[in-house]
Amino acid sequence: AQKITQTQPGMFVQEKEAVTLDCTYDTSDPSYGLFWYKQPSSGEMIFLIYQGSYDQQNATEGRYSLNFQKARKSANLVISASQLGDSAMYFCAMRERYSGGYQKVTFGTGTKLQVIP
Amino acid sequence: DGGITQSPKYLFRKEGQNVTLSCEQNLNHDAMYWYRQDPGQGLRLIYYSQIVNDFQKGDIAEGYSVSREKKESFPLTVTSAQKNPTAFYLCASSMGTGEKLFFGSGTQLSVL
């Protein structure tokens, strides 16, 4: 079973509009973390935002916010006021613990966002 | 400046050859990771390490090997047993396992 599911392979958004990128996850670890990363065409991975499973408030970082719905196991990324520079691949990722105290980070398959002028 | 350095940026492998991808970090991070990314795909975990001289297999470890002899270094060897090695390889580090990941700029490996 997929640990992280991103169901939107590609999305278009008009410049200055808001867009929501979907992410659902599956874990039995009660203490997990969720991340969003941006990957421009250059290939670098840029950290955007983090949400811990026990955080009461939705995380926000500038124009990025994470719509965290714990019961639905959903962690959607909302980008407000889209800019042309937001065109990139966006990956949702999850940190979870395994036996032996190890933790690892698993990524989804990504959503390609294209911002239209 | 602190960061993660991957080298080379591009690497070509001949059939039956082992190749080693370098990853060095000066962030004093304990944990290091190797991910593989195929075109249009997400990142898949190959190996990860929490501390020196310790590492764990990720989801697709077959055909790969690693070492962690120094905190700063986590080289990945793509062995001849890896039959489909062409991919973009990303190295990452974090203060502890599961914390925010800092990534290198990646190595594109291709087979001649």
Side-chain angles (χ1 to χ4, degrees):
Chain A
Q2 289 289 334
K3 290 285 188 178
I4 294 281
T5 301
Q6 294 182 254
T7 58
Q8 306 154 312
M11 292 274 290
F12 290 92
V13 64
Q14 202 76 39
E15 193 177 6
K16 300 180 185 176
E17 296 291 311
V19 63
T20 298
L21 306 183
D22 295 341
C23 174
T24 57
Y25 59 92
D26 183 31
T27 182
S28 56
D29 178 11
S31 179
Y32 56 90
L34 297 157
F35 305 82
W36 277 92
Y37 281 84
K38 172 184 178 181
Q39 187 181 42
S41 56
S42 58
E44 64 188 303
M45 294 288 284
I46 302 168
F47 167 78
L48 295 178
I49 199 165
Y50 170 79
Q51 179 86 39
S53 59
Y54 294 120
D55 293 343
Q56 297 295 315
Q57 305 275 0
N58 285 347
T60 60
E61 291 283 351
R63 293 187 299 112
Y64 304 107
S65 61
L66 200 151
N67 183 1
F68 182 46
Q69 298 187 44
K70 194 170 182 177
R72 298 177 63 180
K73 295 190 174 181
S74 166
N76 299 340
L77 177 71
V78 180
I79 306 175
S80 63
S82 296
Q83 302 172 356
L84 295 178
D86 293 335
S87 294
M89 283 289 285
Y90 288 81
F91 292 99
C92 181
M94 176 175 66
R95 164 186 56 78
E96 57 185 333
R97 295 174 304 184
Y98 286 83
S99 59
Y102 297 103
Q103 300 187 54
K104 70 177 187 181
V105 179
T106 307
F107 285 77
T109 52
T111 295
K112 184 173 183 178
L113 178 66
Q114 295 186 64
V115 180
I116 304 167
Chain B
D1 288 339
I4 300 176
T5 302
Q6 286 188 244
S7 62
K9 191 171 179 67
Y10 300 97
L11 185 59
F12 297 91
R13 193 192 90 165
K14 295 180 181 178
E15 293 287 341
Q17 186 182 43
N18 292 354
V19 291
T20 297
L21 284 61
S22 171
C23 179
E24 303 278 332
Q25 55 100 358
N26 60 3
L27 299 167
N28 199 33
H29 284 171
D30 292 313
M32 296 188 75
Y33 308 77
W34 275 105
Y35 288 91
R36 168 180 171 143
Q37 185 177 24
D38 293 282
Q41 303 287 320
L43 280 65
R44 291 186 290 168
L45 183 62
I46 305 172
Y47 269 99
Y48 60 109
S49 168
Q50 288 192 141
I51 56 173
V52 173
N53 293 321
D54 179 72
F55 48 83
Q56 302 296 314
K57 292 183 179 180
D59 301 315
I60 55 164
E62 186 174 351
Y64 300 96
S65 66
V66 293
S67 63
R68 187 86 187 276
E69 297 177 1
K70 299 186 300 181
K71 187 176 185 177
E72 303 79 21
S73 178
F74 192 41
L76 173 74
T77 296
V78 184
T79 74
S80 57
Q82 173 51 245
K83 299 305 179 187
N84 185 22
T86 297
F88 187 56
Y89 291 85
L90 282 160
C91 178
S93 71
S94 65
M95 185 62 70
T97 51
E99 301 294 328
K100 167 184 160 183
L101 300 180
F102 292 78
F103 283 87
S105 55
T107 294
Q108 176 64 50
L109 175 63
S110 302
V111 176
L112 292 176

